[in-house]
Amino acid sequence: MEKLPRRAGISLQPQHYQEILNSHPDLGWVEIHPEDYLGLGGAAHFYLEKIASDYPLAMNCRSLSLGSAESVNSKHLQDIAALVERYSPAHFSEHLAWNRWQGGYFHQPLPLPYTTESLDQVSFNVRNVQNALGRRILLENPARFFGLEDEFSEGAFFSELVRSSGCGLLLDLTSLYLSCLNLGKDPFKELQQYPLAAIKEIHLGGHTLMPLDDDYILLVDDHSTAICKPVWQLYRETLQQLPQPVATLIEWDHKATELSVLLEQVGKANQIISEMERKTATGEVTS
Amino acid sequence: MSLAGFQEAFSRALYSAELDPELVSQIPHLAASPRTLQQFAAYRERALQGLENILRSVYPTLAAVMGEEAFSRTARAFLLQRAPHSVDPVVIAEPFGNFLDLYAAEDNLPHLPDLATLDYGCFKARQAIEASAMNTRIFTDLSPEQLAARRIQLHPACFWMSSPYAIYDIWRFHHSPYSSKAAGAGYSSGSSDYPAAIECGSAPGRRWLGESPRRHRCGRNP
């Protein structure tokens, strides 16, 4: 199992398979959604095997439904485990969300209330998955569109979850930013509540605006645009608070754009990482 | 209210035929807000859009033939009947062909189910496990008894079907090699791109391998 470098990578899209193999761009790593590779053969695996031999790989799962009040689908978990066995990704992550209820799947990460009961259930499901995969997994914060009556802030919930399950944190800064703006909170303040020492990977993605009425615009994480300036600021702020930079993903998996556009975003993230590493080396950053 | 109660109520509201304010108001743990219904609608739309996109990835040619609006309407009607019980697009999309039988009858488009079968078969074929094709060498060392005991199976990336309609021509006209998410430009594993498309020259017109008096559909009941 290769370690992810402290550099920026991209979510792998079929449109870019051949171009990546031909041009071998300067990418730190690539990430896939295992749900796109559930078939046993064909073009998807043909290309993934070649690309994974050139770049470190991470898997970001969207279907284990760790936030369900029911246990994880064991058959599906077996399929995912087989894929993990086949490719040995450096990181395996899943969302703090649910998308399965009574056997039915929704294919959209849905929010759950951050209560003690939820904490116990998610922690149980995380431990189950970690046992099945034989590795520590990372949990990713989702974007929230509305408020729920919670007993914990999201950051405090993650702190408890990390402690009780032993998982790591994949901090999606775009989701954090959008959730805070949708719920009227300050993302820079909320950031302080997360277990920053448990962060092993960061996600950055684009979002769109969905006006609900004359006075309110919902921010939606559709990963179909360039990363906005406030999220880059939040990224810089987060890296300043970490002992050292972590692997960072540029997410653009809807309305796929040219690879060159993704590489430009990768370059920007790498530039910030380099700045922070320089500052850390010269003692300018307090961790 | 328990987590299970929350998810039960959320699921019911998500999968109602129309966005139902009454069902949304019954979801526990929702913080009171004048915009809750619209915010919930955003989740609902994304969930339905996600499922619709899965169907579109399996049936790209069908979507092109039907038109985006009609395909979207039909896909959502299908999806709202019951939530898919799998993550795998092959499993999710399989019953859509049978559902189309009803749609096709209503709209006098009887060829649509067969077109769907062809799209579905091609999607499955592209993900099929790699397998060696039959060649003459494997027969070299067989005794007559061993040869008699051998059974020929279709390659996992092949499927049988027949249709009374010119669906291959319709499919070829509307199909884009880049319309399926799983498709990769320039991919070649040594097999033809569309192994189901075999033309027999023994009879006039275009036929399919394995054509028989009964209609066979890949992955569905004849």
Side-chain angles (χ1 to χ4, degrees), chain A residues 13-14 17-18 35-36 38-44 46-47 63 67-69 76 98 101-113 115 117-118 121 143-149 210 212-213 215-216 218 220-222, chain B residues 1-8 10-11 14-15 28-32 35-36 38-40 42-43 46-48 50-51 53-54 83-89 92 125-130 181-189:
Chain A
Q13 299 299 311
Y17 286 156
Q18 195 64 60
E35 295 81 2
D36 294 336
L38 289 175
L40 295 173
F46 174 84
Y47 283 105
S63 55
S68 281
H76 182 49
W98 63 285
W101 179 245
Q102 295 187 337
Y105 280 95
F106 302 104
H107 294 267
Q108 157 70 23
L110 299 171
L112 70 158
T115 62
E117 185 202 357
S118 299
Q121 181 64 31
R144 267 195 178 186
F145 298 167
F146 55 33
L148 294 171
E149 291 167 350
M210 185 188 287
L212 295 188
D213 55 44
D215 302 322
Y216 187 87
L218 189 70
V220 179
D221 59 327
D222 64 354
Chain B
M1 173 61 88
S2 67
L3 182 61
F6 168 76
Q7 291 174 345
E8 170 67 29
F10 202 110
S11 303
L14 203 72
Y15 264 87
H29 291 292
L30 285 190
R35 297 186 181 93
T36 297
Q38 293 161 292
Q39 290 163 322
F40 180 84
Y43 277 117
R46 287 206 355 168
L48 290 174
L51 287 166
N53 287 343
I54 289 173
H85 277 55
S86 171
V87 178
D88 188 347
I92 295 171
R126 282 196 209 99
Q127 301 187 35
I129 193 167
E130 303 297 333
K181 198 177 177 188
Y187 167 64
S188 171
S189 64

Side-chain angles (χ1 to χ4, degrees), chain A residues 13 62 221-225 251-257, chain B residues 53:
Chain A
Q13 299 299 311
R62 300 176 294 193
D221 59 327
D222 64 354
H223 306 156
S224 67
T225 59
E251 277 191 301
W252 196 319
D253 43 20
H254 292 288
K255 299 178 189 168
T257 186
Chain B
N53 287 343

Side-chain angles (χ1 to χ4, degrees), chain A residues 47-61:
Chain A
Y47 283 105
L48 182 57
E49 282 175 5
K50 287 179 181 292
I51 291 170
S53 68
D54 288 347
Y55 296 95
L57 180 71
M59 289 188 183
N60 183 233
C61 200

Side-chain angles (χ1 to χ4, degrees), chain A:
Chain A
M1 191 191 312
E2 206 169 350
K3 206 174 171 185
L4 285 190
R6 295 194 291 268
R7 299 185 64 236
I10 60 168
S11 42
L12 185 60
Q13 299 299 311
Q15 296 87 334
H16 301 143
Y17 286 156
Q18 195 64 60
E19 191 176 352
I20 288 174
L21 288 175
N22 289 346
S23 63
H24 204 82
D26 182 21
L27 292 169
W29 52 288
V30 296
E31 184 182 82
I32 61 156
H33 297 301
E35 295 81 2
D36 294 336
Y37 296 84
L38 289 175
L40 295 173
H45 286 289
F46 174 84
Y47 283 105
L48 182 57
E49 282 175 5
K50 287 179 181 292
I51 291 170
S53 68
D54 288 347
Y55 296 95
L57 180 71
M59 289 188 183
N60 183 233
C61 200
R62 300 176 294 193
S63 55
L64 289 173
S65 197
L66 300 178
S68 281
E70 50 196 19
S71 55
V72 174
N73 178 343
S74 56
K75 167 68 176 70
H76 182 49
L77 181 54
Q78 278 177 11
D79 292 342
I80 296 291
L83 207 56
V84 169
E85 176 79 21
R86 181 170 176 178
Y87 287 101
S88 292
H91 285 180
F92 182 91
S93 55
E94 177 52 280
H95 296 78
L96 176 58
W98 63 285
N99 57 10
R100 175 174 171 262
W101 179 245
Q102 295 187 337
Y105 280 95
F106 302 104
H107 294 267
Q108 157 70 23
L110 299 171
L112 70 158
Y114 298 140
T115 62
T116 305
E117 185 202 357
S118 299
L119 179 62
D120 291 342
Q121 181 64 31
V122 176
S123 184
F124 172 82
N125 285 338
V126 168
R127 289 195 302 272
N128 186 10
V129 170
Q130 290 184 149
N131 286 338
L133 301 184
R135 59 161 64 206
R136 181 194 206 193
I137 69 169
L138 309 181
L139 261 280
E140 178 179 354
N141 57 308
R144 267 195 178 186
F145 298 167
F146 55 33
L148 294 171
E149 291 167 350
D150 300 316
E151 295 169 16
F152 301 86
S153 69
E154 188 170 88
F157 191 88
F158 267 105
S159 294
E160 290 299 317
L161 189 58
V162 166
R163 188 187 56 72
S164 62
S165 71
C167 71
L169 172 58
L170 190 171
L171 188 61
D172 187 323
L173 287 174
T174 301
S175 294
L176 171 61
Y177 173 74
L178 302 186
S179 293
C180 286
L181 265 63
N182 285 338
L183 304 177
K185 296 177 181 173
D186 178 346
F188 291 88
K189 280 185 183 166
E190 289 297 313
L191 175 65
Q192 308 309 321
Q193 302 207 28
Y194 287 81
L196 299 182
I199 297 175
K200 303 299 175 198
E201 186 180 325
I202 288 176
H203 280 190
L204 305 172
H207 69 276
T208 52
L209 310 179
M210 185 188 287
L212 295 188
D213 55 44
D214 290 344
D215 302 322
Y216 187 87
I217 296 174
L218 189 70
L219 281 70
V220 179
D221 59 327
D222 64 354
H223 306 156
S224 67
T225 59
I227 296 150
C228 69
K229 198 173 173 183
V231 171
W232 284 117
Q233 288 170 343
L234 192 58
Y235 179 54
R236 195 179 288 272
E237 174 71 22
T238 305
L239 291 191
Q240 279 180 354
Q241 298 191 33
L242 299 182
Q244 55 189 5
V246 295
T248 299
L249 182 80
I250 305 300
E251 277 191 301
W252 196 319
D253 43 20
H254 292 288
K255 299 178 189 168
T257 186
E258 300 292 319
L259 184 60
S260 58
V261 177
L262 291 179
L263 293 175
E264 187 270 327
Q265 301 271 288
V266 164
K268 199 168 177 176
N270 282 337
Q271 193 180 352
I272 295 172
I273 290 171
S274 298
E275 277 175 34
M276 292 302 142
E277 284 178 331
R278 271 199 305 275
K279 286 183 178 178
T280 304
T282 57
E284 289 178 52
V285 174
T286 53
S287 58

Side-chain angles (χ1 to χ4, degrees), chain B residues 49 52-53 56 59-60 62-75:
Chain B
Q49 187 68 54
E52 190 186 316
N53 287 343
R56 189 172 279 108
Y59 298 103
L62 182 71
V65 170
M66 290 176 73
E68 286 302 313
E69 195 181 327
F71 183 84
S72 175
R73 193 172 57 244
T74 312

